[in-house]
Amino acid sequence: MYLLERFRPVSTFSLFRLLKKIILIGVCFCIHIAHAQQGKVLGKLLTAEGEIGIEFASVALLTVTERNTVKGTFTDVTGDFSFEQIKPGEYILRASMVGFKSYESDVLKLNLNGSPINLGNILLIADAQQLQEVTITSQKPLIEQKLDRTIMNVENSVLSEGSTALELLEKAPGVAVDDEGNVSLKGRSGATVMLNGKLTYLSGAELTNLLKGTNSNAVSSIEIMSNPSAKYDAAGNAGIVNIVLKKNVKTGLNGSFTVNGGSSRNERYGSGGSLNYRGEKVNIYGNYNYGFRGETEYLDFTRRFYDGNFMPDQPPKRTSYQHTNTNEPLHTHNFRTGVDFFLNERNTLGMLINGNLGKYTHDSKTSNSMIDQETGIPLWNATSSNYDKQKWESITYNLNYVHRFKREGQHLSADIDYSSNSFTSNLNLDTRYLNDVGEPLGDFSSRRGYVPSLTDVYVAKLDYVQPLTREAKIELGGKSSYVKADNNLRYDTLYNNTWVPDNLSSNHFNYTEYIHAAYVNLHAEWGKVSLQVGLRGEYTKTRGHQITTDSLVNRNYFQLFPSFFLTRKLDEEQQLQLAYSRRIERPDYGDLNPFRMFRDPFLYYEGNPFLKPELTHTLQLSHTFKSNYITAISYNRTTDVMNWLMRQNDATNTTYQSPQNLSRFINYGISFTAMTELTPWWTGSHFGNVFRNIYEGHPDGGDFTNSITSFSLNSQNTFKIAKTISAELSGFYESKTVYGISRGRPYYAINTGIQKQVLDNKATLKLMVNDIFQTRQFRRTARYENIDMYTHIRLDSRMAMLSFTYRFGKQGLKSRERKTGSEDIQNRVGG
C-alpha cells in the first residue's frame, strides 16, 4: 500500500504527459490537413517602367460577386506581397497606392490541391492627377492614439517651424520641460527622451544642448509612451518620449533645404538640407543642420541662514541676495548620412553615421550681497565672473541588416554600433569682495578648471518577429551594451599670483557598465479583445572608480520587467484598455561623478557615486470614445527615487546640490485628451491632467513628506484661413507642483504662428512666436531643516522666427526606416 501510494503521483503524471502528446499530435495532424487544402497567392508590384518596387502598397483579395475583402496586406520594401492559407475558391486581387491608378486582376481560381498562384510582376501606372490632389489635402491628424502610445504629428504644424526640438516637447500632451531641460510626463519626472526609437547616450546637460540645437523642422512626430512594451529598454520611470526625425520618403533624386532667422533677447538663426537618391539596388541619403541660438537668462537666488534648522516663526540671521545674468551662445552641427544596399528582394544591408558637434559658452556675471538681518547692514558684496567654454563631438557608426522571410510579417533585424563621445570644458571663476560702500575686502579669489570627458559605447542588438496566426505574433530579441567613461576634472586656485592645484575639488573618475538584456513580447487578438504581454530581463554590472581618493563602487544586479496591455472594444465607438509595466531609471554617468561645478564660490553642484537605480510600477486604465476622446486613470509608485537635494553650510554661507535617493515617490491622477473639429476650418487637440505627487524620504537622517495636488492644461488649435494659408494657436498652464523638497509656482505660455504654401506648393513660408507674454518663468521655494531658499529663473523663451522651406525632386514612395541600436544609452553619457 505504501509503494502504491508513493508511486501513484508518478503514474498520474505520466498518464497526463501521454494524453497531452496524443492531443498535440492530433492538433498538428488537423492543422496539416487544413493547410494542405489551402492555397497561396503571391506577386510583386512595380512602377510602370518596371524598375522600382512599390513599398507599402495596399493589396487585397476580394470575393468575385460581392467584392468583400477576404484578406488584406501591404507590400514590403521590394514591392513583394503574398497571401497564405487561402481556402479554395474564386477571388479577385486589387492593388492600390497613392499616386498610382488602382489595379484589379482577372478571376483567380484556387484548386483543392492548394497549388500557389504566382502573379509575377504587376506594373502600376502613375496617376498624376491623384498625386496632385493628395499632395494638397492629405495630412495626418495632429494627435493619434495607438495601443501603447500617443502620437503628436508636428511635421505640418506651423508651430514646429523656427523653434527647437526642446521647445516642441513643451507643446506635447502631458509633457513638461523645466529650466534644466529635464522632461516630466503627466507630473512624473524622469521621462526618457529617445531619438528615432533609441536613446541618445548623452548627459542631461548635453541632451538639452542637442535638443536646443536640433531645428524643429527636422522633427516629424513626438511619441508619448506612458507604459512602453518589453521590446523597449526598461529605462525611464516616467515613460518614454520618442522624437521621430523626418525621413526622406521620395524615390529618385530629391531633397529639401530650410533657412530660418529671428530673435529672442539675442538673435537666432539656422539652416539645413537633405538629399536622397534611391534606385533599384541602392539608396544613398544624407542631411545636415546648423543652428545658432543666442540666449540670455536671468537667475535670482535668495538664501536665508538661521545658524540652525529653519523655524517658521524665527527670523534669519543673514540673507543672501544673488542675481545672475547669463550670455549663452550655442552653435550646433547635426548630420546623418548612410547607404542601403538591397541585396535581393529579402535582404537589405545598411550603413549609417550620425554626428552631433557643437560649442557652447556660459558667460555670466553674478552679484551676491550678504545682509545682516539684525542690523540691516550689508556684510559684503561678492561680484563673480564665470566663463565656461564647452565643446563636444558625438559620432555614432552603425551597421544594420534586415532579412524578410517568405512568410508575411516574419523578419529578422540586427544592429552593431560604435559611438565615440568627447566633451571638454574650460572654465574660469573670478570673484571680488566689496564692503557696503564698494571698497575692496582683501584679495580677490580666482579658480580655473579643465574638464575632459571621453565615453565609448559598444552595442549589439537583435530582433525577430514571428507570426503565429493571422491574429497573433511573437517578438523576441536581445541586446548587449558596454560603456566606458573617463572624466578627469582638474581645478586650480590662484594663490599669491601662482596657480596651485585644488586637490579637494579636483577628481578623476572612471566608469564602466555592462547591460545584457533579452525580451519576449506576445501580441494576440480575439474578436473585440487585444492582448499584449511582454517580459524583459536585464543584467547590469557597473564599476565606478574615483581615482583621486581611490574609492571603488561595484554593483551588479538582475531585474525582470513585465509589461501588460489588455484592450476590449465595447462597441464600434468605445474601448477600454488596462496597461501595466515595471521600469528602471539608472543614474546618469555625470550624476555618479562626485566632481564639483561652481556657479559662484557660494553655490555649486556635485555628483554622488553611491546613487542607486530607482524602480517604478506603473498602472493605467483608459477609455477611448470615437478615437477622439481619451480618459486615463493612472497610478505610479517609485522606490529609491533619485532627486537633486540641497545642503547648506551655515558657517561658510555655502549651498550645494547633489543627487540623493529618497525613500519613495507616489503619483496618481486622471487625464483627458480630446481631438475636436468645431468647424471645417477649426480643429484642435486638448489635454488636461489632474494629479497628486508625494515625495517621502530621510535625507541626512531627517524625515520629510512633500505632497500637493496639481493640474496642467495643454491646447493646440489649427485654423484654415484660405486654400494655402493656415494658422495655429497653442498654450499650456502648469499649476503649483512639488519636486523633492521644493515647491514650484504656477506658470503658463501662449504661442502662435501662420504659414503659407508658395511656389506651386513646393515651398512653405512660416512665421511663429513662442511665449508671447514671456510668462514661462520658474519660481521655486525649498524649506527643509536649515535650508530656506527661493529661486526665480527667467528663461529666454519669447522668440519670433521666420522660416522658409523648399522641396525639390519627384514625389515617390517611403524609404527604409533606419534606426541604430546604440541610441539607447547615449543620454546617460557623462559630460
Side-chain angles (χ1 to χ4, degrees):
M1 186 68 177
Y2 169 78
L3 291 176
L4 182 61
E5 291 177 351
R6 182 178 180 181
F7 284 97
R8 185 175 296 155
V10 178
S11 300
T12 303
F13 180 69
S14 300
L15 182 61
F16 174 75
R17 291 181 60 186
L18 179 61
L19 182 61
K20 186 170 70 172
K21 287 183 178 180
I22 294 173
I23 296 174
L24 181 60
I25 292 172
V27 171
C28 293
F29 179 75
C30 294
I31 293 175
H32 174 75
I33 296 298
H35 282 196
Q37 295 179 348
Q38 295 179 345
K40 180 178 182 179
V41 178
L42 66 156
K44 185 184 188 76
L45 295 186
L46 298 174
T47 58
E49 296 79 11
E51 298 177 350
I52 301 175
I54 301 178
E55 183 182 6
F56 295 133
S58 174
V59 186
L61 274 182
L62 312 176
T63 59
V64 176
T65 55
E66 295 87 0
R67 290 296 200 272
N68 293 329
T69 301
V70 178
K71 273 193 176 183
T73 187
F74 294 94
T75 55
D76 63 14
V77 68
T78 59
D80 288 291
F81 66 88
S82 65
F83 296 98
E84 298 182 357
Q85 302 179 23
I86 307 300
K87 295 180 180 180
E90 295 185 346
Y91 303 94
I92 289 177
L93 183 134
R94 178 183 293 166
S96 60
M97 179 65 187
V98 173
F100 295 88
K101 295 181 179 180
S102 296
Y103 165 85
E104 195 168 285
S105 71
D106 296 331
V107 176
L108 308 176
K109 295 182 179 181
L110 279 176
N111 301 323
L112 289 175
N113 60 12
S115 300
I117 296 177
N118 189 345
L119 298 175
N121 294 337
I122 300 173
L123 305 183
L124 295 189
I125 301 173
D127 188 345
Q129 180 179 0
Q130 179 191 7
L131 182 60
Q132 184 180 8
E133 291 174 353
V134 172
T135 302
I136 296 174
T137 62
S138 177
Q139 182 173 336
K140 293 181 180 179
L142 184 63
I143 302 294
E144 288 184 282
Q145 182 64 38
K146 301 294 185 180
L147 177 66
D148 59 351
R149 70 195 66 192
T150 300
I151 302 175
M152 179 181 175
N153 296 302
V154 299
E155 186 166 351
N156 296 313
S157 169
V158 179
L159 299 178
S160 69
E161 292 292 336
S163 58
T164 68
L166 186 67
E167 290 163 337
L168 268 182
L169 284 181
E170 302 163 3
K171 302 169 185 175
V175 178
V177 184
D178 67 11
D179 55 296
E180 298 293 336
N182 299 311
V183 179
S184 61
L185 183 58
K186 291 186 177 181
R188 293 182 287 149
S189 60
T192 295
V193 177
M194 307 170 74
L195 291 178
N196 284 341
K198 310 293 180 180
L199 303 184
T200 57
Y201 291 96
L202 298 174
S203 68
E206 291 172 338
L207 177 62
T208 299
N209 286 336
L210 170 62
L211 296 179
K212 284 182 178 180
T214 301
N215 291 332
S216 55
N217 57 25
V219 178
S220 173
S221 62
I222 297 175
E223 300 178 342
I224 303 165
M225 293 175 273
S226 300
N227 289 278
S229 71
K231 183 177 181 178
Y232 293 93
D233 282 44
N237 279 336
I240 293 175
V241 178
N242 181 32
I243 301 174
V244 182
L245 301 179
K246 291 180 182 177
K247 300 183 292 292
N248 197 314
V249 296
K250 304 174 184 178
T251 57
L253 180 63
N254 47 74
S256 66
F257 71 86
T258 299
V259 61
N260 60 68
S263 179
S264 54
R265 293 182 182 127
N266 291 291
E267 63 181 6
R268 300 184 184 186
Y269 52 84
S271 61
S274 67
L275 192 64
N276 187 89
Y277 171 76
R278 177 169 179 174
E280 183 179 0
K281 294 294 184 180
V282 67
N283 187 27
I284 304 172
Y285 56 93
N287 61 65
Y288 166 80
N289 284 283
Y290 166 76
F292 171 78
R293 178 187 175 97
E295 189 168 7
T296 296
E297 294 184 350
Y298 307 125
L299 304 93
D300 291 284
F301 304 92
T302 301
R303 293 175 291 157
R304 297 177 177 85
F305 298 88
Y306 296 86
D307 294 337
N309 287 348
F310 163 72
M311 300 291 291
D313 56 348
Q314 178 183 348
K317 301 293 185 181
R318 300 173 306 284
T319 301
S320 166
Y321 299 96
Q322 180 175 335
H323 175 74
T324 300
N325 288 357
T326 69
N327 180 32
E328 305 176 57
L330 170 68
H331 299 263
T332 58
H333 304 266
N334 298 313
F335 65 89
R336 181 180 177 91
T337 183
V339 59
D340 293 327
F341 298 100
F342 306 116
L343 305 179
N344 51 47
E345 61 183 12
R346 303 206 177 275
N347 295 280
T348 303
L349 180 68
M351 292 177 285
L352 170 67
I353 300 176
N354 277 334
N356 169 239
L357 298 84
K359 58 181 181 179
Y360 163 80
T361 302
H362 177 93
D363 185 6
S364 66
K365 307 295 182 183
T366 299
S367 63
N368 192 336
S369 178
M370 182 67 72
I371 307 297
D372 187 323
Q373 292 297 125
E374 294 182 354
T375 63
I377 299 176
L379 299 176
W380 44 258
N381 182 39
T383 59
S384 298
S385 173
N386 193 341
Y387 186 83
D388 183 8
K389 190 172 184 178
Q390 302 177 4
K391 294 178 65 176
W392 66 87
E393 180 180 294
S394 176
I395 301 179
T396 299
Y397 306 89
N398 168 259
L399 181 66
N400 56 81
Y401 168 76
V402 174
H403 174 73
R404 299 178 184 273
F405 296 87
K406 291 184 178 180
R407 184 173 183 181
E408 179 186 348
Q410 182 183 7
H411 63 269
L412 175 74
S413 62
D415 285 272
I416 299 176
D417 286 37
Y418 167 67
S419 179
S420 172
N421 305 270
S422 64
F423 173 87
T424 59
S425 170
N426 287 276
L427 56 92
N428 289 274
L429 175 62
D430 297 317
T431 303
R432 298 179 181 272
Y433 299 90
L434 308 174
N435 60 20
D436 57 334
V437 294
E439 297 172 340
L441 288 174
D443 296 331
F444 71 92
S445 66
S446 186
R447 176 190 299 274
R448 70 181 183 185
Y450 176 62
V451 188
S453 175
L454 300 173
T455 305
D456 290 325
V457 180
Y458 304 84
V459 176
K461 184 171 176 284
L462 189 69
D463 296 286
Y464 174 72
V465 179
Q466 171 68 56
L468 302 177
T469 66
R470 184 180 177 184
E471 295 80 16
K473 67 177 181 179
I474 188 170
E475 297 174 307
L476 304 168
K479 177 181 174 182
S480 289
S481 64
Y482 169 66
V483 178
K484 181 180 180 181
D486 186 358
N487 297 275
N488 188 8
L489 169 66
R490 299 190 293 273
Y491 273 124
D492 299 323
T493 56
L494 194 62
Y495 182 74
N496 289 335
N497 293 322
T498 302
W499 289 107
V500 178
D502 185 354
N503 295 324
L504 293 178
S505 301
S506 301
N507 186 69
H508 190 185
F509 183 72
N510 279 341
Y511 180 82
T512 58
E513 176 186 86
Y514 298 86
I515 299 179
H516 305 295
Y519 74 89
V520 57
N521 209 39
L522 177 65
H523 180 89
E525 296 182 7
W526 300 277
K528 295 184 177 181
V529 177
S530 299
L531 175 66
Q532 182 173 291
V533 181
L535 181 65
R536 186 180 187 91
E538 293 189 354
Y539 170 77
T540 305
K541 181 179 180 180
T542 65
R543 182 180 187 269
H545 186 196
Q546 190 175 344
I547 299 175
T548 305
T549 60
D550 195 22
S551 174
L552 191 64
V553 179
N554 288 318
R555 285 202 171 97
N556 64 85
Y557 50 89
F558 176 79
Q559 296 280 351
L560 290 175
F561 302 97
S563 63
F564 174 85
F565 300 87
L566 179 63
T567 302
R568 174 71 161 87
K569 288 186 178 180
L570 303 179
D571 51 39
E572 292 301 321
E573 296 182 340
Q574 299 185 81
Q575 75 174 26
L576 284 174
Q577 183 186 82
L578 180 65
Y580 165 80
S581 65
R582 183 176 188 258
R583 305 195 58 76
I584 189 172
E585 182 71 8
R586 299 178 180 91
D588 287 352
Y589 309 136
D591 292 346
L592 294 168
N593 192 344
F595 67 76
R596 295 180 177 179
M597 298 296 292
F598 290 85
R599 185 172 291 277
D600 75 354
F602 307 99
L603 183 61
Y604 64 87
Y605 311 87
E606 67 178 9
N608 177 8
F610 301 102
L611 270 181
K612 296 184 292 184
E614 58 185 39
L615 294 165
T616 296
H617 295 273
T618 299
L619 184 66
Q620 179 173 285
L621 176 65
S622 61
H623 173 266
T624 303
F625 178 64
K626 290 186 176 181
S627 300
N628 291 326
Y629 307 96
I630 305 166
T631 305
I633 301 173
S634 60
Y635 176 84
N636 311 275
R637 182 182 180 90
T638 303
T639 55
D640 291 323
V641 58
M642 294 180 291
N643 195 272
W644 280 85
L645 294 182
M646 278 180 266
R647 290 182 171 86
Q648 188 166 282
N649 188 331
D650 291 342
T652 59
N653 302 311
T654 303
T655 303
Y656 64 97
Q657 284 186 307
S658 66
Q660 302 293 324
N661 288 110
L662 302 181
S663 300
R664 66 186 60 85
F665 167 64
I666 297 173
N667 163 274
Y668 56 87
I670 182 171
S671 64
F672 181 70
T673 304
M675 279 71 77
T676 59
E677 187 174 354
L678 301 179
T679 69
W681 50 268
W682 180 8
T683 59
S685 68
H686 320 279
F687 177 83
N689 185 33
V690 179
F691 58 95
R692 184 167 181 81
N693 283 348
I694 305 172
Y695 287 90
E696 298 177 353
H698 310 279
D700 299 329
D703 189 6
F704 87 97
T705 299
N706 197 12
S707 62
I708 196 172
T709 300
S710 308
F711 69 92
S712 62
L713 301 172
N714 185 303
S715 180
Q716 308 270 346
N717 299 271
T718 302
F719 306 93
K720 188 71 173 178
I721 300 175
K723 187 176 181 180
T724 60
I725 302 176
S726 61
E728 292 194 15
L729 179 67
S730 72
F732 71 86
Y733 176 84
E734 182 91 17
S735 72
K736 292 181 179 179
T737 56
V738 295
Y739 177 74
I741 64 173
S742 66
R743 286 178 170 255
R745 296 185 182 180
Y747 68 97
Y748 70 96
I750 296 177
N751 321 286
T752 189
I754 188 170
Q755 74 173 6
K756 178 175 174 56
Q757 303 293 331
V758 296
L759 301 179
D760 294 329
N761 295 315
K762 292 182 179 179
T764 305
L765 188 65
K766 301 186 180 183
L767 174 66
M768 56 81 61
V769 181
N770 261 348
D771 194 8
I772 299 174
F773 305 107
Q774 205 162 23
T775 48
R776 189 171 177 263
Q777 302 182 22
F778 296 94
R779 299 177 177 88
R780 300 191 187 96
T781 300
R783 287 173 176 167
Y784 172 71
E785 294 190 341
N786 65 332
I787 298 287
D788 184 2
M789 182 172 177
Y790 170 73
T791 303
H792 183 195
I793 298 176
R794 287 170 283 170
L795 301 179
D796 197 352
S797 55
R798 180 165 58 187
M799 171 187 60
M801 293 289 289
L802 180 66
S803 68
F804 175 79
T805 301
Y806 180 78
R807 301 168 294 276
F808 59 91
K810 70 174 185 177
Q811 299 286 338
L813 314 173
K814 291 188 177 180
S815 58
R816 178 182 173 224
E817 182 178 3
R818 308 166 191 93
K819 297 179 180 180
T820 69
S822 68
E823 294 167 351
D824 304 60
I825 304 173
Q826 197 78 11
N827 74 329
R828 294 174 52 234
V829 166

